[in-house]
Amino acid sequence: MDIKTLYDANINNITIAKNAFDRLYSAFGQHVESWQHEVADRLANSHWTGTASDHAQARIRFLGTELQSAKQELDLIGKALAKAAEQFALAQAHLVYALDDAKTAKLTVAPDGGITWDKEPTSPNFAGTGAETTAIAISNRITAALNEAAHADQEISARLNHLATNASNGTGLDAAAVAKDVAAETAREQIPPAGTDPNSVKKWWDGLTESEQQKFLHEHPDQVGNLDGVPAVARDQANRLNLAQARTDLQKQLDDLDKSEPPATVGTPYGVARNPEHIAWQAQHDVVQDKLKGLKAIQDRLDKPVTAQDPQPFLLKLDAAAPGGRAILALNNPDTADHVATFVPGTESRLGGVDGTMDKSKEMYRSAIQASPGSKVSTIAYVNYTAPQSARPSFTQPVPDAAYEGYAKDAEQNLYDFQSGLRATHQGAPSHNTIIGHSYGSTVVGYTMRDKGLPVDSVVFAGSPGVGVDKAGDLNVDLGKGTKMDPSKVYAVLGGDDSITDWTPDPFAPGNYNPAGDDYRLRFGRDPMNPAFGAQHLPSQNTDHDHYWNARTPSWKAFGQVIAGEPVA
């Protein structure tokens, strides 16, 4: 597709053809109805019986099916032409606007798309000091318009060629074949449901023209933005719309709550007591405030100027309505990165605390680019499961949330789908993918690898209470194919001041009263730091449970080396 072809295209001719097929479809439909009434129904209601009658009526019914199939194929042709007119008109409009803006900016666009301008400040046609930046932007818009038209041309041509072939070889009269054509057309108009295999989602997305993609993005951002298998750029675009709407919705909830605050206390026969209604109101108020805090942190991160140390963020998921809230934010585009790392946080992670998770993700990005200068790195803050919110026993909660494995098991499918989606949407050679689980997040990662497999190249367990398996080699990369994780790519780190192993032992394991024993077992399996587990140990010095990511510490440096696929020094 070139500039002149798209600029000069008479889109109205496609509309004329579409209208002609619509008239043909209508006339053919009337013919089918007339035939059904005058032939099929009359024959069916006749008194003709016998073998010849049976054969004739079977043939009539078969012919009726063929006529209905042909009618459906005609309808599909009209729809394809309507879609073609819509897609080409939109691409043409994008090109015309870009060329008009170039003219206004005193830029000259050549037929091949090259852009020149007058650089003499004294000339009346001087394009200004920012001409180069403007030219680059307009050139990108022209290229995008041409690509949009070329994609539409390929998709529409393939559909029309398929329907033409059906018409010429008789396939268009076969009910089963036509049903497949109708199903394919219907599938284009429907967003795959949540949980659809990411590879199937990617195939669906790639089959859409750009304007179809944009239509789904703007009309259903909540579905597209959270669908694994949709490329990162599109998910980010959709989720930025979701973010704006979520902030509006939550602020309205907060305003409504402020207007309906019940009395803090109530009178009882025994004196004044706290009002149960106020306790419930306060809990709801705190949740909404906390989520708003998280959304603001995300917005601030998205608004931050892009620099070498603060790369472009991509909002890959946002679901403020989920318990605790959900968000996934990447630094740099994972679809084009050489190295991709996903960080899964642990206990107390939620939307309201997403800023801390994003900070850790940023530190790992900085460490990885230091370990491999010049590489394209993307690190991902993954706040996408309902995490336990209490870690240590207390008087009111002697068994904390983090003692239960249910949170990890419930998180498995989402983590598996997300990691599979990263593979499905990646461009070019496969990236080197790492997953890092901290605290209870390591349990989530381990359980998912055990039960479903994760398509990753390396895994790090930091401050872990156990990962569901007793040996690093029991972790799965692809459970369906029986592919196990290479133990040399399984890493564990435990700081000298991290006391997690002191308060997460397996109470039923013999010898656990002696942490120095040969087989010290934690709440969710053998300690990954135990030599019998078989993981590679990362340096940490005296780091406590929450500070493995302090800049320039041994663990900070080691994380970057693992992410970049470099030897840990």
Side-chain angles (χ1 to χ4, degrees), residues 406-424:
Y407 296 94
K409 294 186 72 66
D410 290 345
E412 290 179 4
Q413 189 64 51
N414 280 345
L415 184 57
Y416 173 80
D417 287 344
F418 180 71
Q419 292 299 312
S420 299
L422 290 177
R423 290 298 191 194

Side-chain angles (χ1 to χ4, degrees), residues 92-102 141:
Q92 188 181 63
H94 289 160
L95 175 65
V96 170
Y97 292 150
L99 294 176
D100 286 347
D101 288 345
R141 290 168 57 192

Side-chain angles (χ1 to χ4, degrees), residues 73-122:
E73 289 281 286
L74 285 174
D75 184 39
L76 292 177
I77 293 174
K79 289 180 177 178
L81 290 171
K83 186 66 69 175
E86 176 186 336
Q87 308 299 339
F88 287 130
L90 189 58
Q92 188 181 63
H94 289 160
L95 175 65
V96 170
Y97 292 150
L99 294 176
D100 286 347
D101 288 345
K103 185 177 181 180
T104 300
K106 298 182 179 180
L107 305 175
T108 301
V109 181
D112 64 356
I115 300 179
T116 57
W117 59 91
D118 193 334
K119 301 178 182 179
E120 176 53 53
T122 61

Side-chain angles (χ1 to χ4, degrees), residues 43 52-65:
L43 183 62
S53 171
D54 293 341
H55 285 305
Q57 294 201 45
R59 178 54 189 158
I60 289 295
R61 287 193 296 271
F62 184 73
L63 181 57
T65 299

Side-chain angles (χ1 to χ4, degrees), residues 358-539:
M358 292 189 298
D359 287 342
K360 293 179 175 66
S361 175
K362 177 183 174 181
E363 289 303 320
M364 286 186 279
Y365 170 82
R366 294 175 60 200
S367 178
I369 59 175
Q370 176 178 291
S372 182
S375 294
K376 294 180 180 178
V377 175
S378 175
T379 56
I380 301 169
Y382 183 90
V383 183
N384 189 36
Y385 75 103
T386 301
Q389 294 300 303
S390 61
R392 293 177 180 270
S394 66
F395 179 77
T396 57
Q397 194 172 6
V399 181
D401 294 341
Y404 297 100
E405 67 173 11
Y407 296 94
K409 294 186 72 66
D410 290 345
E412 290 179 4
Q413 189 64 51
N414 280 345
L415 184 57
Y416 173 80
D417 287 344
F418 180 71
Q419 292 299 312
S420 299
L422 290 177
R423 290 298 191 194
T425 58
H426 194 268
Q427 303 170 21
S431 55
H432 172 264
N433 286 11
T434 301
I435 190 160
I436 300 164
H438 173 231
S439 191
Y440 195 91
S442 71
T443 306
V444 170
V445 172
Y447 271 53
T448 307
M449 296 190 77
R450 181 194 68 186
D451 297 339
K452 295 184 176 298
L454 285 178
V456 296
D457 302 291
S458 56
V459 57
V460 179
F461 300 125
S464 177
V467 299
V469 297
D470 286 342
K471 295 181 180 179
D474 291 337
L475 298 168
N476 294 296
V477 176
D478 188 326
L479 187 61
K481 296 180 180 178
T483 308
K484 298 291 186 178
M485 190 76 200
D486 179 355
S488 70
K489 300 299 181 182
V490 179
Y491 301 88
V493 60
L494 183 70
D497 289 337
D498 190 336
S499 60
I500 190 168
T501 56
D502 295 337
W503 53 273
T504 60
D506 179 352
F508 304 106
N512 266 3
Y513 294 106
N514 175 20
D518 292 336
D519 196 13
Y520 189 52
R521 303 179 71 82
L522 302 178
R523 186 76 185 185
F524 303 111
R526 178 178 281 150
D527 183 355
M529 292 296 291
N530 191 301
F533 185 82
Q536 313 306 306
H537 294 179
L538 300 180

